[in-house]
Amino acid sequence: MEKDILSLMDLVPEDFELLFQRARELKSRHRRGICEKSLAGKTVGLVFEKPSTRTRISFEAATAQLGGTPLFIQAGETQLSRNEPIADTARVLERYLDALVLRTYSQDMQEEFARIASIPIINALTDVYHPCQVLSDLFTVVECKNDLSGLKIAWIGDGNNMSHSWINAAAKLDFTLVLACPEAYMPDPGILSAAKEIAGDRIVIGSDPVSAAKEADVINTDVWASMGMEAESEKRARIFAPFQVNEELLSHAAADVIVMHCLPAHRGEEISAGVLDGERSVVWDQTENKLHMHKAILEVLITG
Ligand code: CP
Ligand code: NVA
């Protein structure tokens, strides 16, 4: 493994396998009530510029349950908000912490932290990527389907940070990713072409939700207006309406399709209430798996 997880392009297939394996073990041990000590004496900082329920709390709980100490820090309450340079902040935090989990608008900011700091930097979401979410989502797919190989995974909706991390994952792992996004809300062309150079025809991009959903083993969606884009919500709601994941769309998928959403969800917008709360939805297992995957990530990056 590299020192940091800033993007899934940082991982090789063996890294994914290692993380799935360790998350599986930690989940089983957690269920059996086994107390872990692998992060005893370690301190994990979380610096967040954007809101979070799942990622923050699962990383904090993961650290505590492994015997370490989580420190949550609102970015706005640090000297970063008064223009202390990122490089100086990184040099300070590496003296106190064993790893730093960052949620920022800018991907470049995380890359600068990673260049300067000797400790692992873990991307807990930027405007560009959400790699740890997609790691735990891949783990959920493996749990449900045993193997990623040969699966058709659909992404329906915005070409956003989540879609970019799914595109990266498809470059590294053997599944087919079919995306259906409105013409004006396609994923970043650079991210797409870099992944397609590796994955070739296993990444398919278009604007037809029905052909993306057809015979899909997994259907994924996400909010239409990500954090920071709230001002566009109304306009997006009109444009994205044909991309709702609902019962009709599901009727085109494989009979044993699973539906995923990283949450928070907006019932009646990107997903119907019936589908989110229905029998094909795995969203609550998906959200639980963030805890187990984040433990695996912290352990592997901090203790090697
Ligand atoms: N899925 C996810 O990242 O949720 P939060 O924004 O609540 O962390
Ligand atoms: N695309 C969403 C993901 C939230 C977890 C956002 O960035 O707001």
Side-chain angles (χ1 to χ4, degrees):
M1 289 281 273
E2 302 273 331
K3 174 175 80 70
D4 313 294
I5 297 182
L6 303 179
S7 138
L8 294 183
M9 293 307 256
D10 298 340
L11 274 63
V12 295
E14 293 72 25
D15 296 332
F16 288 90
E17 199 40 58
L18 173 71
L19 290 169
F20 298 155
Q21 173 66 26
R22 191 58 188 146
R24 192 177 301 118
E25 283 164 8
L26 285 162
K27 181 171 183 175
S28 158
R29 289 167 65 83
H30 183 71
R31 293 251 160 108
R32 285 180 281 146
I34 297 170
C35 197
E36 308 289 343
K37 297 268 189 295
S38 52
L39 294 190
K42 306 289 185 191
T43 307
V44 175
L46 298 96
V47 174
F48 279 44
E49 289 182 338
K50 298 187 185 192
S52 172
T53 297
R54 282 145 287 267
T55 309
R56 170 188 171 175
I57 296 170
S58 57
F59 264 114
E60 288 198 69
T63 306
Q65 289 172 19
L66 294 179
T69 304
L71 285 184
F72 180 73
I73 308 138
Q74 288 279 7
E77 291 171 11
T78 69
Q79 301 285 7
L80 281 168
S81 67
R82 296 178 60 251
N83 295 327
E84 183 167 16
I86 292 165
D88 290 358
T89 308
R91 289 185 188 103
V92 170
L93 294 184
E94 72 175 10
R95 302 292 176 113
Y96 304 146
L97 302 171
D98 296 287
L100 181 58
V101 179
L102 288 174
R103 174 167 284 198
T104 59
Y105 291 88
S106 153
Q107 180 76 17
D108 290 348
M109 178 175 177
Q110 297 207 9
E111 283 167 11
E112 187 168 355
F113 263 106
R115 265 196 309 278
I116 305 289
S118 56
I119 55 172
I121 304 297
I122 300 169
N123 180 352
L125 183 145
T126 63
D127 288 348
V128 186
Y129 294 124
H130 199 359
C132 297
Q133 178 71 50
V134 173
L135 277 171
S136 61
D137 294 353
L138 287 162
F139 173 56
T140 303
V141 175
V142 173
E143 278 190 330
C144 294
K145 304 284 180 189
N146 293 318
D147 195 3
L148 290 164
S149 196
L151 293 180
K152 176 178 177 181
I153 299 184
W155 176 267
I156 314 276
D158 193 15
N160 64 10
N161 46 6
M162 279 291 298
S163 82
H164 292 158
S165 287
W166 273 103
I167 290 167
N168 289 345
K172 299 285 176 158
L173 300 168
D174 180 30
F175 62 87
T176 296
L177 179 67
V178 184
L179 302 105
C181 310
E183 292 284 354
Y185 297 90
M186 289 285 172
D188 178 87
I191 291 171
L192 195 57
S193 65
K196 272 181 79 65
E197 257 180 43
I198 303 169
D201 293 346
R202 287 190 301 97
I203 301 178
V204 180
I205 180 102
S207 291
D208 179 5
V210 171
S211 86
K214 201 169 166 48
E215 297 303 325
D217 302 292
V218 179
I219 292 182
N220 248 300
T221 191
D222 186 15
V223 292
W224 290 338
S226 285
M227 287 181 275
M229 299 186 177
E230 290 77 5
E232 295 181 18
S233 294
E234 268 183 40
K235 178 183 167 205
R236 283 171 171 257
R238 281 193 302 278
I239 295 168
F240 281 82
F243 292 80
Q244 186 185 71
V245 174
N246 54 29
E247 289 77 353
E248 202 287 318
L249 192 67
L250 240 59
S251 72
H252 300 279
D256 61 351
V257 66
I258 57 169
V259 176
M260 305 185 78
H261 190 311
C262 66
L263 306 176
H266 300 86
R267 290 173 177 79
E269 294 182 30
E270 74 275 4
I271 191 162
S272 67
V275 170
L276 186 78
D277 300 315
E279 60 175 8
R280 305 312 322 158
S281 166
V282 297
V283 297
W284 308 117
D285 291 328
Q286 183 185 354
T287 213
E288 178 190 329
N289 281 338
K290 287 172 71 78
L291 174 70
H292 309 300
M293 178 51 75
H294 292 168
K295 283 183 183 172
I297 290 169
L298 291 168
E299 250 194 10
V300 169
L301 292 186
I302 295 174
T303 68

